[in-house]
Amino acid sequence: RLNCTSVLADKVKKVEELKFGDDIFEVTYVSIDGADDVNLYLRDITAIKTSIENAEASEKRIRQVMDTALDGMMMVNVERKICYWNPQAEKIFGWNANEIVNQASLHLLFSDPQMARVEQQLSSSEHQRIEVYARHKDGHEVPVDMSVVMVKTHGILDYFSVIVHDISARIESEMALKE
């Protein structure tokens, strides 16, 4: 089966979507050389449109959960670049998403000794929590409980899901109890 829009690209006059009941069709109008007639090609795209709408709705729900989480959440690619940064991460680290997402690496958030511990966690296939000191935008250290999960697509590492919880209050309480 040939795709008329690739074979007759210079002849296509118009492509649009039409809805008939619950079905959605892509309509392509094609003129033939020297003829006053126009050929119409219909393609049922209902399943494609439904799949896209369902995927968009699912992504929106996931974003809402991540954006309203009480812990800092980030997605980090295999090059250690931050791809997602939720509002709670902004509060913990002081950087807004525009400053971080696709702009910065995890190395910005941790001193060298702490980054070595983070790298060890990223390289581990075990899902465990570690306590590390992160670097706030203003330079002070923030103690965080951090968990890292490898996310694989078709068995290949795609990105890391990183969740951080500011444990400053807990550490201050523990220190006060010791005194």
Side-chain angles (χ1 to χ4, degrees):
R1 177 176 157 194
L2 295 176
N3 180 345
C4 70
T5 57
S6 62
V7 174
L8 303 171
D10 60 327
K11 313 279 188 238
V12 173
K13 296 295 183 191
K14 190 174 183 183
V15 177
E16 62 183 55
E17 291 179 11
L18 294 177
K19 190 166 184 173
F20 297 104
D22 292 335
D23 297 327
I24 304 169
F25 293 90
E26 177 183 78
V27 182
T28 306
Y29 303 87
V30 180
S31 65
I32 305 300
D33 286 334
D36 291 333
D37 297 332
V38 173
N39 291 339
L40 296 177
Y41 296 89
L42 292 175
R43 182 172 72 134
D44 186 348
I45 59 171
T46 307
I48 295 168
K49 289 296 230 177
T50 301
S51 293
I52 291 170
E53 289 170 4
N54 289 342
E56 288 171 348
S58 176
E59 182 178 347
K60 182 178 179 182
R61 283 190 302 275
I62 290 168
R63 286 269 178 198
Q64 288 173 330
V65 168
M66 292 172 64
D67 286 346
T68 59
L70 298 177
D71 290 328
M73 299 180 79
M74 45 184 134
M75 290 174 25
V76 178
N77 67 17
V78 293
E79 289 84 27
R80 310 308 192 246
K81 192 175 240 185
I82 299 166
C83 312
Y84 171 78
W85 184 261
N86 79 345
Q88 191 61 31
E90 290 182 8
K91 290 178 185 174
I92 294 169
F93 294 100
W95 301 90
N96 70 48
N98 292 336
E99 296 171 300
I100 290 289
V101 174
N102 297 321
Q103 306 293 323
S105 145
L106 270 181
H107 298 276
L108 177 69
L109 305 177
F110 300 96
S111 65
D112 288 341
Q114 296 298 309
M115 190 62 204
R117 294 189 63 218
V118 171
E119 281 292 346
Q120 186 177 30
Q121 183 73 5
L122 293 172
S123 300
S124 172
S125 60
E126 295 179 30
H127 306 304
Q128 56 187 342
R129 295 176 185 269
I130 62 169
E131 289 184 9
V132 292
Y133 283 89
R135 188 181 309 141
H136 189 275
K137 182 179 180 178
D138 68 14
H140 79 273
E141 288 190 326
V142 179
V144 295
D145 179 60
M146 183 176 97
S147 62
V148 176
V149 176
M150 292 180 180
V151 179
K152 296 180 179 182
T153 305
H154 306 294
I156 298 170
L157 178 60
D158 194 21
Y159 62 91
F160 300 95
S161 172
V162 179
I163 300 174
V164 293
H165 179 77
D166 184 344
I167 56 173
S168 299
R170 187 191 85 199
I171 288 179
E172 287 174 13
S173 294
E174 289 172 358
M175 291 175 74
L177 285 173
K178 288 180 183 177
E179 295 174 357

